Amino acid sequence: ALRDRIADTGASIVITADQQVRGGKQLPLKAIVDEALAQGGCASVRHVLVARRTGAAVPFQAPRDLWLHELTDGQSERCEPEWVEAEHPLFLLYTSGSTGTPKGVQHATGGYLLHAALTCAWTFDLKPEDVFWCTADIGWVTGHTYIAYGPLALGATQVVFEGVPTYPDAGRFWKMIQDHRVTVFYTAPTAIRSLIKAAEGNEAVHPARYDLGSLRILGSVGEPINPAAWEWYHRHVGGGRCPIVDTFWQTETGGHMITPLPGATALVPGSCTLPFPGIAAAVVDETGNELPWGQGGILVVKRPWPSMIRTIWGNPERFRKGYYPEEFQGRYYLAGDGAIRDAKTGYFTITGRIDDVLNVSGHRMGTMEIESALVAKTDLVAEAAVVGRPDDTTGEAICAFVVLKRPRPTG
């Protein structure tokens, strides 16, 4: 996966670390980079910059590999910005599609930063005295928008967390909130469901054992949150007093698209409620005609917004066909999700993907991509088919049907 992304972007510098610490384990990041570069197709890479995280010994290939701390030692603490046009490419994030290779989603500098800051300010009602914590991995779009960009653009105080919610025990999140007096907490339904299970099996890690009185707003991200998890989150983490902002958005949208605004939107468990101000979301049929409230259909966005995807890196035709299909005369952005609006309130509920993309713990993975990885094991796998199945913890789980060329290995 890393090799494919380097080859697609033509990257000249790769920044990594010796290791990452996650759940009490050391993950060999530098070794993963070395393996990717050794596969070929990465001739564009001139240097690998390595941050010293754990101090572990790692292979070094001079003059390609450089220690980051040696480059920054003696440098000024002040770094003047590089002034660019608003539409200058800001970053690429790769997201799975239903067919072919992952897509390099390109965001622009001005519009993305505007929407990141605006959604942080309005969805989370961030104030100077708040302590904000988004628990996402920083490499996913949630970590980009609501760790690296949005909160910092507002000058917010935030917690940045390297780890998992169940290490050293399943009370880790609640202890962090208690110790750091977190006021706004943003996490995924998968994490909530796993912590419900842990709390029900071990009273010592139940939220009731911790002081969560600092909390004033809770958030949910990555996948629709089922009503039972919403109710538990509201009652046991928020003490029945914290509004939950159930946010719908995507890598391609750059920031929140449909979400309650705390104190302004009446909440309904399991519904992301109404579009963020300025977002023209709608539910349409297969030909692009808007459907009446109460009838399920295809979720689209009818007008541009600041942080919208600008293109797929190196493949503008795939961008046009995938997101602005001919069935809609190229007029609407196709989110790839189904939705329904409440017949009385117009509130949106996301009903799931309409393509072959799986949503596992809020991470989008194309079935074709997984199948390709399986059949790449050419000495063992003849054919493979991948589908999703419901899962109580992750929302959706990967189920692979594999035809082997020889007897199944044991052990």
Side-chain angles (χ1 to χ4, degrees):
L2 178 59
R3 190 215 73 88
D4 292 345
R5 285 152 174 74
I6 292 172
D8 189 52
T9 60
S12 58
I13 295 175
V14 177
I15 303 175
T16 187
D18 50 6
Q19 294 179 323
Q20 177 190 3
V21 180
R22 186 176 178 86
K25 300 177 181 178
Q26 286 73 45
L27 305 181
L29 296 189
K30 174 60 164 58
I32 292 171
V33 172
D34 289 341
E35 181 182 354
L37 297 181
Q39 292 176 5
C42 302
S44 61
V45 175
R46 294 184 288 108
H47 292 294
V48 176
L49 308 186
V50 186
R52 179 171 285 166
R53 171 65 180 88
T54 66
V58 292
F60 243 62
Q61 181 179 321
R64 185 197 70 184
D65 298 346
L66 301 168
W67 284 111
L68 188 60
H69 66 272
E70 292 180 354
L71 293 176
T72 57
D73 281 350
Q75 296 293 322
S76 171
E77 293 183 356
R78 182 176 179 82
C79 180
E80 291 296 327
E82 185 72 24
W83 296 102
V84 296
E85 297 293 326
E87 288 300 304
H88 187 86
L90 180 60
F91 62 79
L92 306 176
L93 269 182
Y94 282 79
T95 184
S96 291
S98 57
T99 60
T101 57
K103 302 168 289 189
V105 172
Q106 178 184 318
H107 280 292
T109 302
Y112 172 85
L113 186 58
L114 170 64
H115 199 66
L118 194 62
T119 51
C120 255
W122 290 3
T123 304
F124 299 120
D125 188 38
L126 279 187
K127 302 286 196 295
E129 62 272 18
D130 277 318
V131 177
F132 178 75
W133 184 18
C134 170
T135 69
D137 290 335
I138 205 164
W140 296 91
V141 71
T142 305
H144 273 53
T145 306
Y146 298 111
I147 298 177
Y149 287 92
L152 297 182
L154 298 177
T157 299
Q158 66 170 329
V159 174
V160 179
F161 177 66
E162 179 187 40
V164 296
T166 53
Y167 181 84
D169 59 48
R172 183 65 184 272
F173 275 7
W174 321 136
K175 188 176 188 305
M176 294 277 289
I177 293 169
Q178 172 184 270
D179 291 353
H180 298 284
R181 309 307 296 162
V182 172
T183 58
V184 182
F185 180 62
Y186 194 36
T187 195
T190 293
I192 296 166
R193 288 190 291 264
S194 69
L195 295 173
I196 292 173
K197 184 177 180 180
E200 290 176 347
N202 181 2
E203 186 179 335
V205 297
H206 195 284
R209 299 294 296 271
Y210 300 83
D211 178 6
L212 307 183
S214 61
L215 289 170
R216 67 181 190 90
I217 292 175
L218 303 176
S220 175
V221 62
E223 58 187 299
I225 183 170
N226 56 299
W230 192 102
E231 294 281 6
W232 187 92
Y233 192 29
H234 184 256
R235 181 183 311 113
H236 294 290
V237 180
R241 55 185 171 74
C242 298
I244 297 175
V245 288
D246 178 5
T247 60
F248 169 80
W249 59 296
Q250 302 171 312
T251 301
E252 295 90 340
T253 71
H256 301 154
M257 300 296 282
I258 307 175
T259 178
L261 298 182
T265 309
L267 304 177
V268 173
S271 171
C272 49
T273 68
L274 297 172
F276 189 81
I279 303 300
V283 178
V284 302
D285 63 18
E286 291 83 355
T287 59
N289 295 313
E290 192 161 350
L291 294 169
W293 291 3
Q295 188 170 335
I298 301 167
L299 180 64
V300 298
V301 183
K302 301 172 73 173
R303 293 200 301 267
W305 66 98
S307 62
M308 62 192 297
I309 176 178
R310 294 313 198 254
T311 189
I312 293 175
W313 181 257
N315 200 337
E317 185 65 14
R318 187 181 181 189
F319 165 72
R320 186 185 64 80
K321 288 183 176 180
Y323 295 107
Y324 297 92
E326 293 180 1
E327 295 90 326
F328 301 156
Q329 294 80 48
R331 294 178 300 157
Y332 300 155
Y333 168 83
L334 176 65
D337 285 288
I340 187 170
R341 302 191 71 170
D342 184 87
K344 293 182 179 179
T345 64
Y347 278 15
F348 284 79
T349 296
I350 306 302
T351 56
R353 297 293 299 177
I354 62 172
D355 53 23
D356 291 329
V357 174
L358 308 180
N359 190 328
V360 182
S361 299
H363 299 156
R364 286 166 52 187
M365 288 172 275
T367 55
M368 175 71 76
E369 188 180 0
I370 302 168
E371 290 165 356
S372 298
L374 290 170
V375 298
K377 185 67 175 173
T378 55
D379 63 321
L380 181 62
V381 177
E383 296 180 64
V386 171
V387 297
R389 63 170 178 80
D391 185 273
D392 289 341
T393 301
T394 62
E396 191 171 20
I398 298 169
C399 185
F401 297 87
V402 179
V403 178
L404 300 180
K405 293 181 177 179
R406 52 184 171 83
R408 178 173 60 88
T410 59

